[in-house]
Amino acid sequence: MLGLLTPAVVGSLLLATLSTAADYVWFLNIPQHQVTSGAIHGATLFAALGLYLGWRKGKAGIGLAGGLLSGTLAALSFYALAPFGGYSMMLVSWLLLWIMLAGLQTHLDGRLDPAKAIGRGIITAIVAALGFAVVLFQLYRRWPPESFSFFKHFVAWAMAYLPGLYVLLKR
């Protein structure tokens, strides 16, 4: 279990660092959601995760491309769906993101099976949603905040990503 937990912890710390930096940029400079900034946000975060996942398997380029595609499509899906359901559509995009990341991970593991990737992605998305609830509750109840706490954002994001990455990396 420790062997699996360590890569999940490293991945969650990487994403927590990037998510905290991104939140700070949103806090300072982006007053509202915009398709371009949201797509860049998703692409950057998950390109980094994909690079990390691929690097672990000796396939950094494939991981980078898969993460970039996953993050971009998930972000764009939110903006395409938001007119129909507002911010609750983030849950659909979150599910889509983790299904795509599960597909990437099964490919990196050398046994791409779309049905298995979808099942793994759904389970990962559910577990990851529990972590994401921490972020929604702690950070986004009142956005933008009056002041920005780097520590609070980092800890919340690390807790948000850890459960999903633990399940994603489990074989």
Side-chain angles (χ1 to χ4, degrees):
M1 179 169 146
L2 185 59
L4 177 60
L5 187 58
T6 302
V9 169
V10 170
S12 68
L13 295 177
L14 167 69
L15 286 175
T17 300
L18 292 173
S19 293
T20 299
D23 278 356
Y24 187 64
V25 169
W26 283 81
F27 171 72
L28 289 179
N29 299 316
I30 305 172
Q32 60 187 351
H33 275 275
Q34 300 167 350
V35 175
T36 304
S37 54
I40 291 169
H41 177 89
T44 302
L45 285 176
F46 294 100
L49 177 62
L51 178 62
Y52 171 68
L53 296 174
W55 171 77
R56 292 184 59 248
K57 300 290 184 171
K59 302 173 184 177
I62 292 169
L64 175 68
L68 179 69
L69 182 64
S70 298
T72 303
L73 290 177
L76 292 175
S77 76
F78 169 72
Y79 292 104
L81 295 171
F84 304 104
Y87 280 106
S88 63
M89 293 294 103
M90 185 68 73
L91 297 174
V92 176
S93 299
W94 186 253
L95 176 65
L96 179 62
L97 171 70
W98 287 100
I99 289 172
M100 290 186 289
L101 291 173
L104 173 61
Q105 186 61 46
T106 58
H107 177 70
L108 292 170
D109 287 343
R111 49 183 206 280
L112 179 59
D113 176 355
K116 185 174 183 178
I118 290 169
R120 184 178 187 179
I122 290 170
I123 292 167
T124 303
I126 291 167
V127 171
L130 299 174
F132 192 55
V134 170
V135 169
L136 293 176
F137 182 73
Q138 289 295 317
L139 303 182
Y140 296 123
R141 279 186 299 165
R142 292 178 198 93
W143 188 265
E146 290 182 22
S147 64
F148 192 88
S149 168
F150 286 95
F151 181 75
K152 181 178 180 180
H153 279 252
F154 180 80
V155 170
W157 278 116
M159 290 172 53
Y161 288 119
L162 185 59
L165 288 174
Y166 178 79
V167 173
L168 182 70
L169 295 170
K170 192 171 183 170
R171 289 181 139 215

